[in-house]
Amino acid sequence: MASAPHGDTAENGDDAAAAPAKPPRAPITDAEIRVEFAHHDGAVARVNNGTFGCCPASVLAARSRWQRLFLSQPDAFYFHSLQPGLAASRAAVAAAVGAGGASEVSLVDNATTAAAIVMQHVAWSFAEGRFAPGDAVLMLHYTYSSVKNSIHAYAARAGATVVEVPLPFPVSSPAAVVAEFRAALSVAKSGGRRRVRLAVIDHITSMPSVVIPVRELVAICREEGVDKVFVDAAHAIGQVRIDVRDIGADFYASNLHKWFFCPSAVAFLHIRKDEPIASELHHPVVSSEYGNGLPMESAWIGVRDYSAQLVVPDAVDFMSRFEGGIEGISRRNHEKVVEMGKMLAEAWGTFLGSPPELCGSMVMVGLPGCLGVGSDDDGMRLRDMLRNDFNVEVPIFHNSRSVEGEEMAKDANGDEVTGYVRISHQVYNVREEYEVLRDAVNKLVLDGFSCSKLRPSGKVLSH
C-alpha cells in the first residue's frame, strides 16, 4: 500500500483528525527565505503577490512528492492516499479559519469555482420556483469580474434582479462603506416589495484593494432579512485574521494560493454546519461522488492533479517557521506595505487610496496625475510598459469614480489622480523593489510621459 507523504491522517466520515504537532524549530532566517523563493526571477521587482501569490520551495517539493506518489502507483494512490490527504488539508483549513470542523470545508480550485457553486444553487432556486422572478441579488460595484459574471450567468439569467453597491474610492473610513451598503440594500428591497435572496460581499476587494467591514455588513443583512450571504474572500486568508463563525456568513470562500503559500490552484468554501441547504449545494463538475456532500464531491471531480490541494499542511508547516505564524506574517506584511505605500506617495506627491485600517497586505497608491491614466486600457498599457522597460510587476487601477458630491482627488501639483498602483508585500519582498517602482514612475514624470503616447494612433478618450 502506498503511504501519504504527509502523515497518515484518515477520513472518519466526519471531521479528520489533525496530524500531530511537530516540535518547534529555530525561526526562519532571511537567507532561508531567499532560498525558499530562489525560483523567482531576480531581475523583476515583483510587488504583485496579490494576483498569483507565491509558493516556497519546500511546499513545491512536497507537491512533487505527491505527484510522484500518484504516478508510481495510481490505483493505490486513489484508494489509499488521496482522500486521507485531502481530509488532512480540510482539517488544516478548518483550524486556520475557526470553522466547526473539517466537514464544514470543501476544497476547490479557486474562489471563482466556489462562487459558481453558490450561484448554481441560486439559479436552481429560481428555476424550481423557490424564488420569485425579480427577487434580488446584491453585490459590490468592485466585486471581482469573474464573480460578477457568475452572478449574471447563473442568477440574472434565471430571473434575479442584480443590484450593485456603488462604493466610493478613495475611501475614507469603514463608515462610508457601511452607509453605501445600507443605501443599496434599501434599493434592492424596493421598499419591501422585493426579497433579497443573496448578498455577495468581498472581504477584501481586488481592484481597488480595500478591506471591507464584512462582519458589520453580514449583521446588517441579518437585520434586513437577506436570505443568504456569500463572502468572496479570495484575498483574505493570509492577509487578515479570519473567524468564519464570528463573521457569520452562510458561505465563505478564499484562495489558498494567494497569501497562504499553496501552489495554484486551491481554495476553500466554508459552509456552516447548521446550514440547512448544505446538502443541496453541488460541485459544477458532476462526478461519481455526486450526492455524497460537497466536501466529497469536490474531493473527486475525476482524474486530475490534486497535489495543490494536498499540500495545505505543508504550507502551514512553512508558516510555523515564522514568529507568530500566519498572523505574525500578515501583521508584518501590513506594516511593511503601508510603510512602502507612504514612501511612494511622498515621492510622487500623492496619497494612499484608503486609510491603513482598510488595508491588508496590499495598498493602493495614487500615481501622479500627469501620467494621464484615462481608462482601463491605459492602465494595462502602462503596466506592460513598467514590466517591459523597467522590470517592475505591479497592477494599475483606473479610477473613474469619485466620492459623490466631491471633486476627484488631486496630487501635489493639482492634477486629478485617476491612476493607482496596487502594491503587495509578502515575506520575500525587499525595500529595493519598491524603490525600483518609485524611480521608474519618477523617470516617466521627468520625461514628460503621458499614457496618451501609448494609445493606438488617433484614439481619443470620450468624456
Side-chain angles (χ1 to χ4, degrees), residues 56-95:
S58 55
V59 177
L60 290 173
R63 182 183 196 180
S64 180
R65 290 193 294 272
W66 278 110
Q67 291 171 325
R68 290 196 301 271
L69 181 65
F70 168 71
L71 294 171
S72 68
Q73 225 296 37
D75 299 81
F77 175 87
Y78 173 75
F79 286 107
H80 303 299
S81 299
L82 177 60
Q83 293 308 324
L86 292 174
S89 288
R90 288 196 295 272
V93 171

Coordinates of all heavy atoms in Angstrom, one line a residue, residues 56-95:
P56 N 6.6 28.6 -1.7 CA 8.0 28.3 -1.3 C 8.5 27.0 -1.8 O 7.7 26.1 -2.1 CB 8.0 28.4 0.2 CG 6.6 28.1 0.6 CD 5.7 28.6 -0.5
A57 N 9.8 26.9 -1.9 CA 10.4 25.6 -2.5 C 10.1 24.4 -1.7 O 9.9 23.3 -2.2 CB 11.9 25.8 -2.5
S58 N 10.0 24.5 -0.3 CA 9.7 23.4 0.5 C 8.3 22.9 0.2 O 8.0 21.6 0.2 CB 9.8 23.7 2.0 OG 9.0 24.8 2.3
V59 N 7.3 23.7 -0.1 CA 6.0 23.3 -0.4 C 5.9 22.7 -1.8 O 5.2 21.7 -2.1 CB 5.0 24.5 -0.2 CG1 3.5 24.0 -0.6 CG2 5.0 25.0 1.2
L60 N 6.7 23.3 -2.7 CA 6.7 22.8 -4.1 C 7.3 21.4 -4.0 O 6.9 20.5 -4.8 CB 7.6 23.7 -5.0 CG 7.0 25.0 -5.3 CD1 8.0 25.9 -6.1 CD2 5.7 24.8 -6.2
A61 N 8.3 21.1 -3.2 CA 8.9 19.8 -3.0 C 7.9 18.8 -2.5 O 7.8 17.6 -3.0 CB 10.1 19.9 -2.1
A62 N 7.1 19.2 -1.5 CA 6.0 18.4 -1.0 C 5.0 18.0 -2.1 O 4.5 16.9 -2.3 CB 5.3 19.0 0.1
R63 N 4.7 19.0 -3.0 CA 3.8 18.8 -4.1 C 4.4 17.7 -5.0 O 3.7 16.8 -5.5 CB 3.5 20.1 -4.8 CG 2.5 19.9 -6.0 CD 2.3 21.2 -6.8 NE 1.1 21.0 -7.6 CZ 0.6 21.9 -8.4 NH1 1.3 23.1 -8.5 NH2 -0.5 21.7 -9.1
S64 N 5.7 17.9 -5.3 CA 6.3 16.9 -6.2 C 6.3 15.5 -5.7 O 6.1 14.5 -6.4 CB 7.8 17.4 -6.4 OG 8.4 16.5 -7.3
R65 N 6.4 15.4 -4.3 CA 6.3 14.0 -3.7 C 4.9 13.4 -3.9 O 4.8 12.2 -4.2 CB 6.6 14.1 -2.2 CG 8.1 14.4 -2.0 CD 8.5 14.2 -0.5 NE 7.8 15.1 0.4 CZ 8.3 16.3 0.8 NH1 9.4 16.7 0.2 NH2 7.7 17.0 1.6
W66 N 3.9 14.2 -3.8 CA 2.5 13.7 -4.0 C 2.3 13.3 -5.5 O 1.7 12.3 -5.8 CB 1.5 14.8 -3.7 CG 1.1 14.9 -2.2 CD1 1.5 15.9 -1.4 CD2 0.4 14.0 -1.5 NE1 1.0 15.7 -0.1 CE2 0.3 14.5 -0.1 CE3 -0.2 12.8 -1.7 CZ2 -0.4 13.9 0.9 CZ3 -0.9 12.1 -0.7 CH2 -1.0 12.7 0.6
Q67 N 2.9 14.2 -6.4 CA 2.8 13.8 -7.8 C 3.5 12.5 -8.2 O 2.9 11.7 -8.9 CB 3.3 15.0 -8.7 CG 2.5 16.2 -8.6 CD 3.1 17.4 -9.3 OE1 4.3 17.6 -9.2 NE2 2.3 18.3 -9.9
R68 N 4.7 12.3 -7.6 CA 5.4 11.1 -7.9 C 4.7 9.9 -7.3 O 4.7 8.8 -7.8 CB 6.8 11.2 -7.3 CG 7.7 12.2 -8.1 CD 9.2 11.9 -7.8 NE 9.5 12.1 -6.4 CZ 9.8 13.3 -5.9 NH1 9.9 14.4 -6.6 NH2 10.1 13.4 -4.6
L69 N 4.1 10.1 -6.1 CA 3.3 9.0 -5.5 C 2.2 8.6 -6.4 O 2.0 7.3 -6.5 CB 2.8 9.5 -4.1 CG 2.0 8.4 -3.3 CD1 2.9 7.2 -2.9 CD2 1.4 9.0 -2.0
F70 N 1.5 9.5 -6.9 CA 0.4 9.2 -7.8 C 0.9 8.4 -9.1 O 0.4 7.4 -9.5 CB -0.4 10.4 -8.3 CG -1.3 10.2 -9.4 CD1 -2.5 9.5 -9.3 CD2 -1.0 10.7 -10.7 CE1 -3.3 9.3 -10.3 CE2 -1.8 10.5 -11.8 CZ -3.0 9.8 -11.6
L71 N 2.0 9.0 -9.7 CA 2.5 8.4 -10.9 C 3.1 7.0 -10.7 O 3.1 6.1 -11.6 CB 3.5 9.3 -11.5 CG 3.0 10.6 -12.0 CD1 4.2 11.6 -12.4 CD2 2.1 10.4 -13.2
S72 N 3.6 6.7 -9.5 CA 4.3 5.4 -9.2 C 3.2 4.3 -9.1 O 3.5 3.2 -9.5 CB 5.1 5.5 -7.9 OG 4.2 5.7 -6.8
Q73 N 2.1 4.6 -8.6 CA 1.0 3.6 -8.4 C -0.3 4.3 -8.3 O -0.8 4.4 -7.2 CB 1.3 2.7 -7.2 CG 1.2 1.2 -7.4 CD -0.3 0.7 -7.8 OE1 -1.0 1.4 -8.5 NE2 -0.7 -0.4 -7.3
P74 N -0.9 4.7 -9.4 CA -2.2 5.5 -9.4 C -3.3 4.8 -8.6 O -4.1 5.5 -7.9 CB -2.5 5.7 -10.8 CG -1.2 5.5 -11.6 CD -0.5 4.5 -10.8
D75 N -3.5 3.5 -8.7 CA -4.6 2.8 -8.1 C -4.4 2.9 -6.6 O -5.4 3.2 -5.9 CB -4.6 1.3 -8.6 CG -4.8 1.2 -10.0 OD1 -3.8 1.4 -10.8 OD2 -6.0 1.0 -10.5
A76 N -3.2 2.6 -6.1 CA -3.0 2.7 -4.6 C -3.2 4.1 -4.1 O -3.8 4.3 -3.0 CB -1.6 2.2 -4.3
F77 N -2.7 5.0 -4.9 CA -2.9 6.5 -4.5 C -4.4 6.8 -4.4 O -4.9 7.4 -3.4 CB -2.3 7.4 -5.6 CG -2.5 8.8 -5.4 CD1 -1.6 9.6 -4.6 CD2 -3.6 9.5 -6.0 CE1 -1.8 10.9 -4.4 CE2 -3.8 10.8 -5.8 CZ -2.9 11.6 -5.0
Y78 N -5.2 6.4 -5.4 CA -6.6 6.7 -5.4 C -7.3 6.0 -4.2 O -8.1 6.7 -3.5 CB -7.2 6.3 -6.7 CG -8.8 6.4 -6.8 CD1 -9.4 7.6 -6.9 CD2 -9.6 5.3 -6.6 CE1 -10.7 7.8 -6.9 CE2 -11.0 5.4 -6.6 CZ -11.5 6.6 -6.7 OH -12.9 6.7 -6.7
F79 N -7.1 4.8 -4.0 CA -7.8 4.0 -3.0 C -7.3 4.3 -1.5 O -8.1 4.1 -0.6 CB -7.8 2.5 -3.3 CG -8.7 2.1 -4.4 CD1 -8.1 1.8 -5.7 CD2 -10.0 2.1 -4.3 CE1 -8.9 1.4 -6.7 CE2 -10.9 1.8 -5.4 CZ -10.3 1.4 -6.6
H80 N -6.0 4.7 -1.4 CA -5.5 4.7 0.0 C -4.9 6.0 0.4 O -4.8 6.3 1.6 CB -4.4 3.6 0.2 CG -4.9 2.2 -0.1 ND1 -5.9 1.6 0.6 CD2 -4.5 1.4 -1.1 CE1 -6.1 0.4 0.1 NE2 -5.3 0.2 -0.9
S81 N -4.5 6.9 -0.5 CA -3.8 8.1 -0.1 C -4.6 9.4 -0.4 O -4.4 10.4 0.4 CB -2.4 8.2 -0.9 OG -1.6 7.1 -0.6
L82 N -5.3 9.5 -1.5 CA -5.9 10.7 -1.9 C -6.9 11.3 -0.8 O -6.7 12.4 -0.3 CB -6.7 10.6 -3.2 CG -7.4 11.8 -3.7 CD1 -6.5 13.0 -3.9 CD2 -8.2 11.5 -5.0
Q83 N -7.9 10.5 -0.4 CA -8.9 11.1 0.5 C -8.3 11.3 1.9 O -8.7 12.4 2.5 CB -10.1 10.1 0.5 CG -10.9 10.1 -0.8 CD -11.3 11.5 -1.3 OE1 -11.6 12.4 -0.5 NE2 -11.2 11.6 -2.6
P84 N -7.5 10.5 2.5 CA -6.9 10.8 3.8 C -6.1 12.1 3.7 O -6.1 13.0 4.6 CB -6.0 9.7 4.1 CG -6.6 8.5 3.4 CD -7.2 9.1 2.1
G85 N -5.4 12.3 2.5 CA -4.6 13.5 2.4 C -5.4 14.8 2.3 O -5.1 15.8 2.9
L86 N -6.5 14.7 1.5 CA -7.4 15.8 1.4 C -8.1 16.1 2.7 O -8.4 17.3 3.1 CB -8.5 15.6 0.3 CG -7.9 15.5 -1.1 CD1 -9.0 15.1 -2.1 CD2 -7.3 16.9 -1.5
A87 N -8.4 15.1 3.5 CA -9.0 15.3 4.8 C -8.1 16.0 5.7 O -8.5 16.9 6.5 CB -9.4 13.9 5.4
A88 N -6.8 15.7 5.6 CA -5.8 16.5 6.4 C -5.8 17.9 6.0 O -5.7 18.8 6.9 CB -4.5 15.8 6.3
S89 N -5.9 18.2 4.7 CA -5.9 19.6 4.3 C -7.2 20.3 4.7 O -7.1 21.5 5.1 CB -5.8 19.6 2.7 OG -4.5 19.3 2.3
R90 N -8.3 19.7 4.7 CA -9.5 20.3 5.1 C -9.4 20.6 6.6 O -9.9 21.7 7.1 CB -10.8 19.4 4.8 CG -11.1 19.4 3.4 CD -12.5 18.8 3.2 NE -12.7 17.4 3.6 CZ -12.5 16.4 2.9 NH1 -12.1 16.5 1.6 NH2 -12.6 15.2 3.3
A91 N -8.8 19.7 7.4 CA -8.7 19.9 8.8 C -7.8 21.1 9.1 O -8.0 21.9 10.0 CB -8.1 18.7 9.5
A92 N -6.7 21.3 8.3 CA -5.8 22.4 8.4 C -6.5 23.7 8.1 O -6.3 24.7 8.8 CB -4.6 22.2 7.5
V93 N -7.3 23.7 7.1 CA -8.1 24.9 6.8 C -9.1 25.3 7.9 O -9.2 26.4 8.3 CB -8.8 24.8 5.4 CG1 -9.8 26.0 5.2 CG2 -7.8 24.7 4.3
A94 N -9.8 24.3 8.4 CA -10.8 24.5 9.4 C -10.1 25.1 10.6 O -10.7 26.0 11.2 CB -11.5 23.1 9.8
A95 N -8.9 24.6 11.0 CA -8.3 25.1 12.2 C -7.8 26.6 11.9 O -7.8 27.4 12.9 CB -7.0 24.3 12.5

